[in-house]
Amino acid sequence: MKYFVLSILIIFLLSLNGCSKQNHHYNDSSPRREYQQANNENANNQMNKTSDIPKNVINRTKQSNAIRTVSHPDVITVLVNKKYFLSQNYVPKDLVYANVSFIFKEKIEKRKMRKEAAIALTKLFEGAKRDHIYLSGVSGFRSYATQKVIFNRYVKEDGYANARKYSALPGSSEHQTGLSIDVSSSTGKCAASSCFANTKEAKWLEKNSSNYGFIIRYPKGKEQITGYKYEPWHIRYVGVTPAKQMKKRNITLEEYLNVYPVSK
């Protein structure tokens, strides 16, 4: 009887020890499972966030004051502004000399544009001429290095804060895309100046540039979105369909691409 009771006691103790080990194993693995689950959820969230990033930019964040780097600068509707920067080494591969008149004779960098934009610009100038409007180019493509020199000069003249109102930091200039150009009358009067807004050339561009795939990039009343004052002379090639849509809806490129306003 003594041995029988002892045997029962030993079996009971062994069973308790087994439960203890099972519980210990479960408690040890549960946090690990929760950790793995959290990591999976985070990964899924990251995938969802990535899918929302526009094709022409990277590093898009909820912080509206963040700087983003353009990842696909060759896209015709690429956005470049005070928050979306081109890389220092970016130069379009299809730059050509635009076959239009300029206010200078030298065959230099700022005569160039990307091929598609240059062809469209020729058609725009020809269309203007048919309406007895005679245009000239002022400044097309501008490299990062050139923009750096220009911006630093303006800083010396007007101070950094004032220079930022009308001139772009190196890397944030649309001219570097090869898709933008400043234009004026054939005489060069009011070239890249506020007085250009009152000219017949500016009025023609406002009305007709979208028919050739161009937009007035910095329109009047949109300064809080574009980050720049009204520039009726600065036209940007985006393609005919997008240009007409923006014209019809009276929106900027920022609004068309549904990204954060520059000033917020």
Side-chain angles (χ1 to χ4, degrees):
M1 186 66 179
K2 182 187 296 184
Y3 292 108
F4 177 76
V5 173
L6 183 60
S7 298
I8 295 298
L9 182 60
I10 291 172
I11 292 171
F12 177 74
L13 290 174
L14 287 173
S15 66
L16 285 177
N17 190 41
C19 289
S20 176
K21 287 182 177 179
Q22 287 178 348
N23 287 336
H24 176 71
H25 175 72
Y26 177 81
N27 291 333
D28 181 58
S29 64
S30 180
R32 185 177 182 182
R33 285 201 303 272
E34 292 174 357
Y35 173 76
Q36 290 173 337
Q37 183 179 3
N39 277 352
N40 290 336
E41 290 175 353
N42 287 336
N44 290 334
N45 289 337
Q46 286 300 110
M47 290 178 66
N48 291 334
K49 289 179 181 179
T50 302
S51 67
D52 291 335
I53 297 176
K55 291 182 179 179
N56 64 324
V57 298
I58 60 173
N59 299 334
R60 186 183 185 197
T61 67
K62 291 184 178 180
Q63 288 75 31
S64 60
N65 61 346
I67 296 297
R68 303 156 181 92
T69 304
V70 174
S71 60
H72 294 277
D74 293 327
V75 174
I76 292 298
T77 54
V78 61
L79 177 66
V80 176
N81 61 21
K82 290 182 178 181
K83 292 186 179 180
Y84 289 82
F85 279 56
L86 293 166
S87 69
Q88 182 173 346
N89 299 322
Y90 176 70
V91 176
K93 296 178 181 179
D94 57 347
L95 286 174
V96 297
Y97 287 104
N99 188 27
V100 298
S101 63
F102 279 79
I103 61 173
F104 54 87
K105 294 182 179 180
E106 297 82 5
K107 202 170 185 179
I108 52 179
E109 176 186 90
K110 60 184 180 179
R111 275 184 178 267
K112 293 182 177 181
M113 294 188 75
R114 288 185 58 184
K115 187 175 181 179
E116 182 177 338
I119 292 172
L121 185 71
T122 299
K123 294 178 180 179
L124 182 147
F125 273 44
E126 290 172 349
K129 188 176 181 179
R130 287 193 293 270
D131 290 337
H132 307 290
I133 299 295
Y134 302 95
L135 302 171
S136 287
V138 177
S139 181
F141 172 71
R142 198 179 297 158
S143 67
Y144 182 99
T146 299
Q147 184 63 31
K148 185 176 181 179
V149 171
I150 291 172
F151 183 77
N152 287 341
R153 185 177 74 240
Y154 287 141
V155 170
K156 289 181 180 179
E157 293 175 358
D158 296 332
Y160 179 83
N162 287 328
R164 288 282 277 145
K165 294 177 182 179
Y166 60 83
S167 183
L169 285 169
S172 68
S173 171
E174 272 209 336
H175 287 278
Q176 193 181 344
T177 67
L179 298 168
S180 291
I181 185 169
D182 297 335
V183 297
S184 74
S185 66
S186 58
T187 64
K189 183 179 179 180
C190 291
S193 299
S194 58
C195 61
F196 182 71
N198 299 318
T199 66
K200 59 184 180 180
E201 289 82 8
K203 291 178 172 60
W204 187 93
L205 286 171
E206 175 66 33
K207 182 180 179 180
N208 298 285
S209 61
S210 62
N211 295 327
Y212 302 90
F214 288 87
I215 59 172
I216 306 299
R217 181 63 181 91
Y218 308 119
K220 191 173 184 179
K222 298 284 188 175
E223 294 84 356
Q224 295 302 310
I225 296 174
T226 65
Y228 290 105
K229 67 178 185 179
Y230 175 41
E231 293 189 2
W233 61 85
H234 181 109
I235 59 175
R236 158 68 194 274
Y237 182 74
V238 293
V240 174
T241 298
K244 285 186 174 181
Q245 290 178 352
M246 283 182 255
K247 171 70 174 176
K248 183 178 181 180
R249 296 167 59 191
N250 189 31
I251 59 175
T252 64
L253 185 57
E254 283 82 5
E255 292 169 295
Y256 179 76
L257 296 175
N258 193 29
V259 298
Y260 298 106
V262 167
S263 62
K264 295 183 179 180

